[in-house]
């Protein structure tokens, strides 16, 4: 772009500074970057006639490394480190791919125990999930301790002592409060507590992590992490035991690759955040690739599943026996049905035509 000057100030320079005020590599700029680059990965995979996970698995390690921005993380992960990890991941890769195609990637359900559900609803949804073969369950906590105690008791009684229970506080607590609250909920044997405090508080997470060691409770976080730098520091501070990437919060597949590789170097299991708004469709590709080409392990690894709004996507996730089955259609599984887009398009879509007049009244 040709530089223009106004009163001695370079306009592109002002523009760059303005962008930095709403970024860099976080906030709206980073979310937009993720949207654009994820779309590029979708197009690339469609051009190759492969789903994104398969495009990644088949990619030469050096080509994969060329997709990663190592700026700000070379004190933890260099290009040489990444290449070594990916080259080691070549061993047994074909066998792991066959395993994924046959058995899928283990998942857990978040759909049974949202805050606000009545006890009857909770019991009904939990019973149906058990019937459908789910063995790992996550419950939302943090609004009221006594309510949490009652709800967790209901779920633990229903699923039994052998099945896995996780808890999610969605950033509810201060650091001391998180430790005290979880010491009371420890009797229900949760595998982890997710987002116990501000997602930006790296040292706070580290303090909670140390305090919960005697209870055998791990810290899970990552869905609100702005970028690879935050993940780097969480790993350096030993502030988490379960790392939760998000396919849209980070800067697309490219940045997620760097985080997967850092997690491998620290030997921290990746258990992605997902949701029923297309996140499940996206993140399945990343975690299947991680197992086949990077981690080569399913120990303490599981991917979130939420059973909402998949009907709007042309290529919705396939869950069998509580596992994500690898998608086979080319692309990133993100394409929505035309009728769904038209119905929800602002402001002329059917949904908005009903909603806007109602709000005015």
């Amino acid at each position: 772009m040709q530089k223009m000057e106004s009163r001695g100030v370079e306009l592109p320079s002002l523009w760059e500074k303005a962008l930095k005020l709403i970024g860099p590599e976080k906030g709206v700029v980073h979310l937009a970057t993720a949207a654009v680059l994820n779309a590029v990965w979708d197009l690339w995979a469609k051009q190759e006639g492969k789903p994104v996970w398969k495009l990644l698995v088949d990619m030469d390690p050096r080509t994969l490394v060329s997709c990663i921005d190592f700026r700000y993380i070379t004190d933890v992960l260099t290009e040489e480190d990444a290449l070594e990890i990916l080259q080691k991941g070549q061993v047994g890769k074909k066998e792991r791919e066959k395993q994924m195609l046959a058995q899928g990637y283990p998942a857990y359900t978040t759909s049974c125990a949202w805050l606000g559900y009545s006890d009857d609803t909770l019991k009904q949804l939990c019973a149906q999930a058990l019937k459908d073969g789910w063995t790992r369950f996550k419950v939302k906590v943090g609004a009221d301790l006594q309510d949490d105690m009652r709800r967790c008791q209901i779920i633990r009684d229903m699923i039994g002592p052998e099945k896995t229970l996780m808890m999610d506080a969605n950033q509810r607590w201060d650091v001391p409060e998180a430790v005290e609250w979880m010491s009371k909920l420890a009797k229900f044997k949760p595998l982890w507590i997710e987002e116990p405090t501000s997602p930006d508080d790296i040292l706070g997470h580290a303090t909670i992590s140390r305090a919960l060691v005697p209870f055998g409770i791990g810290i899970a976080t990552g869905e609100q992490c702005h970028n690879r730098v935050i993940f780097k520091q969480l790993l350096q501070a030993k502030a988490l035991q379960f790392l939760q990437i998000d396919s849209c919060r980070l800067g697309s597949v490219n940045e997620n690759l760097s985080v997967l590789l850092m997690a491998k170097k620290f030997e921290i299991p990746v258990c992605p955040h997902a949701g029923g708004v297309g996140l499940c469709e996206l993140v399945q590709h990343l975690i299947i690739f991680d197992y086949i080409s990077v981690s080569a392990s399913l120990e303490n690894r599981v991917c979130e599943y939420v059973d909402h709004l998949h009907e709007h996507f042309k290529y919705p996730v396939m869950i069998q026996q509580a596992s994500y089955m690898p998608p086979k259609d080319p692309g990133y599984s993100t394409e929505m049905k035309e009728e769904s887009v038209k119905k929800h398009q602002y402001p002329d879509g059917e949904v908005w035509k009903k909603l806007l007049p109602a709000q005015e009244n």
Side-chain angles (χ1 to χ4, degrees):
M1 179 188 299
Q2 185 178 0
K3 290 185 177 181
M4 299 173 61
E5 292 189 3
S6 176
R7 296 183 181 179
V9 179
E10 294 181 353
L11 295 183
S13 177
L14 289 175
W15 175 244
E16 290 167 7
K17 289 179 180 178
L19 282 176
K20 287 182 178 180
L21 290 175
I22 52 174
E25 298 194 41
K26 55 181 172 284
V28 66
V29 170
H30 213 47
L31 292 169
T33 299
V36 172
L37 292 181
N38 279 337
V40 172
W41 280 94
D42 179 57
L43 292 171
W44 185 1
K46 286 177 177 176
Q47 181 68 27
E48 296 292 328
K50 299 176 180 179
V52 163
W53 70 264
K54 180 63 171 169
L55 176 69
L56 292 168
V57 165
D58 290 347
M59 203 175 290
D60 174 81
R62 292 189 181 277
T63 304
L64 277 169
V65 169
S66 73
C67 296
I68 299 170
D69 183 358
F70 290 90
R71 184 176 41 175
Y72 308 136
I73 63 172
T74 53
D75 51 329
V76 163
L77 185 78
T78 65
E79 291 188 33
E80 293 74 18
D81 294 332
L83 187 60
E84 182 180 356
I85 291 170
L86 290 167
Q87 287 174 337
K88 288 181 178 179
Q90 297 294 301
V91 179
K93 189 170 74 170
K94 291 183 179 180
E95 288 73 19
R96 291 191 295 276
E97 182 175 340
K98 290 179 181 178
Q99 179 188 354
M100 283 291 99
L101 289 169
Q103 301 175 12
Y105 197 96
Y108 71 86
T109 178
T110 303
S111 299
C112 299
W114 296 94
L115 285 173
Y117 279 0
S118 68
D119 290 356
D120 286 342
T121 299
L122 191 154
K123 291 176 183 178
Q124 180 183 353
L125 292 173
C126 196
Q128 184 60 51
L130 287 165
K131 185 178 179 181
D132 292 339
W134 291 95
T135 61
R136 305 171 187 87
F137 300 78
K138 189 166 79 178
V139 56
K140 300 287 185 174
V141 297
D144 179 88
L145 179 57
Q146 295 307 312
D147 186 54
D148 287 348
M149 297 285 285
R150 190 190 74 258
R151 293 165 63 249
C152 288
Q153 188 67 63
I154 291 171
I155 295 174
R156 182 51 86 185
D157 288 345
M158 291 193 70
I159 69 177
E162 75 285 356
K163 292 183 174 62
T164 303
L165 180 66
M166 292 86 89
M167 298 179 182
D168 185 356
N170 285 115
Q171 315 159 27
R172 286 268 184 168
W173 304 315
D174 281 354
V175 172
E177 186 181 17
V179 175
E180 181 181 1
W181 205 298
M182 287 310 300
S183 69
K184 303 286 179 37
L185 296 180
K187 61 182 288 187
F188 302 107
K189 304 296 182 183
L191 176 65
W192 75 52
I193 176 61
E194 182 176 333
E195 287 197 317
T197 190
S198 166
D200 298 334
D201 191 354
I202 296 163
L203 297 182
H205 275 85
T207 298
I208 299 167
S209 176
R210 289 192 298 271
L212 295 185
V213 168
F215 300 103
I217 302 172
I219 301 298
T221 193
E223 69 176 89
Q224 298 291 342
C225 284
H226 303 299
N227 50 50
R228 63 197 179 282
V229 179
I230 302 296
F231 277 113
K232 180 191 74 170
Q233 294 182 8
L234 285 165
L235 290 165
Q236 288 174 314
K238 299 180 180 179
L240 78 175
Q241 287 72 48
F242 301 92
L243 187 150
Q244 297 176 307
I245 58 171
D246 184 282
S247 51
C248 294
R249 177 73 58 179
L250 292 182
S252 84
V253 174
N254 302 73
E255 191 168 34
N256 269 296
L257 290 174
S258 67
V259 177
L260 292 175
L261 289 162
M262 284 192 290
K264 172 59 178 176
K265 187 170 180 181
F266 281 83
E267 293 297 341
I268 294 294
V270 176
C271 301
H273 166 252
V277 288
L279 294 176
C280 294
E281 279 73 16
L282 285 160
V283 83
Q284 62 180 334
H285 293 267
L286 300 176
I287 200 61
I288 290 168
F289 160 75
D290 179 61
Y291 173 63
I292 295 173
S293 297
V294 181
S295 72
S297 173
L298 292 178
E299 184 177 0
N300 284 329
R301 296 167 190 271
V302 66
C303 186
E304 184 174 22
Y305 175 71
V306 179
D307 188 18
H308 301 303
L309 304 175
H310 299 289
E311 66 274 12
H312 296 294
F313 290 84
K314 288 186 177 181
Y315 312 106
V317 293
M318 295 180 292
I319 298 291
Q320 294 180 12
Q321 295 299 310
S323 296
Y324 279 91
M325 301 309 295
K328 297 180 179 179
D329 294 293
Y332 208 179
S333 306
T334 54
E335 192 171 350
M336 298 187 73
K337 295 178 179 178
E338 291 182 13
E339 57 267 31
S340 292
V341 173
K342 185 176 180 180
K343 187 175 180 180
H344 292 83
Q345 193 164 16
Y346 179 84
D348 299 320
E350 177 184 332
V351 170
W352 287 101
K353 284 183 176 180
K354 293 180 180 178
L355 183 62
L356 293 175
Q359 288 181 336
E360 291 173 359
N361 295 331

